[in-house]
Amino acid sequence: MKIDMKPVRKLRVHWPIASETFSRLADGEAEAFKDEAGIEALLQAVAESPDLGDFGNYRHVFESGLGFEGFTCAAGANPTLGQVGQQTISPTLVLTTYFDAALDDATVELFLQHIVDIHPWEVPVIELSGPISVSSTALPAFAESQAAS
């Protein structure tokens, strides 16, 4: 099987979740994705952006990981969680998806702004990479040899 590669950019969004949701997801209970409104809103945002997670025959592709995020709110902050001057640890879901590296900046700005608008934090942690390569299509070896003929 041959794997074709394509240039993409990686988008990672850190999203706070309830301790109960964290535990359920850690136990492998995928239904917890649907039971937390914040995660549901984030997944809906991915689904509403046809350019996010486009892997040919697969759409809205994402990966997620669980962890904790720590921060200390400085003076002037209006935190959703924690208090000014206090270190806070938040159970966090990190959602990763990809989009074509050639996508125009205006389109990228639109879906980034949508994520900022629905995110519960005053300053969301959103990572956006430069172009990288990911697999785009898996072709059986037979199809590859036929195409070469």
Side-chain angles (χ1 to χ4, degrees):
M1 179 180 308
K2 179 182 184 290
I3 301 290
D4 286 339
M5 302 297 283
K6 73 176 186 176
V8 297
R9 294 178 71 188
K10 182 191 313 187
L11 172 64
R12 287 174 38 115
V13 180
H14 298 243
W15 200 278
I17 58 175
S19 294
E20 178 188 348
T21 302
F22 183 98
S23 295
R24 290 176 61 202
L25 290 171
D27 285 340
E29 193 179 329
E31 279 296 308
F33 277 101
K34 297 177 183 175
D35 293 342
E36 181 150 331
I39 297 173
E40 186 68 20
L42 180 58
L43 294 178
Q44 184 65 35
V46 171
E48 289 172 355
S49 301
D51 297 305
L52 291 178
D54 178 4
F55 279 73
N57 292 335
Y58 297 87
R59 304 280 192 225
H60 315 125
V61 175
F62 70 91
E63 295 88 38
S64 65
L66 296 174
F68 293 94
E69 193 159 353
F71 54 90
T72 300
C73 300
N78 184 23
T80 304
L81 181 66
Q83 297 177 1
V84 171
Q86 165 191 322
Q87 183 171 23
T88 303
I89 306 294
S90 171
T92 301
L93 175 107
V94 179
L95 181 130
T96 303
T97 191
Y98 303 87
F99 60 91
D100 193 308
L103 195 61
D104 64 280
D105 289 343
T107 301
V108 174
E109 278 294 318
L110 281 174
F111 59 72
L112 288 178
Q113 187 59 55
H114 182 62
I115 290 170
V116 168
D117 291 344
I118 64 172
H119 201 288
W121 286 345
E122 181 178 25
V123 180
V125 176
I126 299 172
E127 302 172 42
L128 185 59
S129 78
I132 59 173
S133 294
V134 298
S135 56
S136 64
T137 307
L139 301 172
F142 176 76
E144 179 185 327
S145 67
Q146 292 299 312
S149 301

